[in-house]
């Protein structure tokens, strides 16, 4: 996994977690859902990069 792609995936996951937490604290269901979606997007990006790494070996 390239360092840049890994950082982007982790950043998306962290940003999503922050949004989800803020949504829960404020009672904003939309923000909570956006946070979960962003985390899932980061997870998918990380998984895709891991598959690329395995295929390169």
């Amino acid at each position: 996994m390239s360092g840049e792609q890994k950082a982007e995936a982790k950043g998306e996951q962290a940003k999503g977690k922050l949004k989800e937490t803020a949504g829960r604290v404020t009672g904003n269901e939309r923000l909570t859902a956006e946070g979960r979606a962003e985390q899932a997007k980061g997870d998918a990006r990380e998984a895709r990069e891991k598959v690329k790494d395995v295929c390169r070996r």
Side-chain angles (χ1 to χ4, degrees):
M1 180 184 254
S2 74
E4 184 179 318
Q5 293 295 325
K6 184 177 184 179
E8 285 181 26
K10 292 293 183 185
E12 261 181 341
Q13 290 168 339
K15 187 176 166 187
K17 186 66 173 173
L18 190 63
K19 275 187 178 181
E20 181 182 4
T21 302
R24 284 185 183 178
V25 168
T26 61
N28 186 335
E29 290 182 26
R30 184 174 149 254
L31 190 59
T32 302
E34 283 180 17
R36 286 183 185 154
E38 205 158 322
Q39 283 180 16
K41 188 176 174 185
D43 291 342
R45 176 178 281 187
E46 186 175 27
R48 182 176 61 235
E49 290 301 316
K50 285 182 180 181
V51 168
K52 283 183 187 178
D53 284 347
V54 169
C55 291
R56 288 181 189 153
R57 292 180 187 175

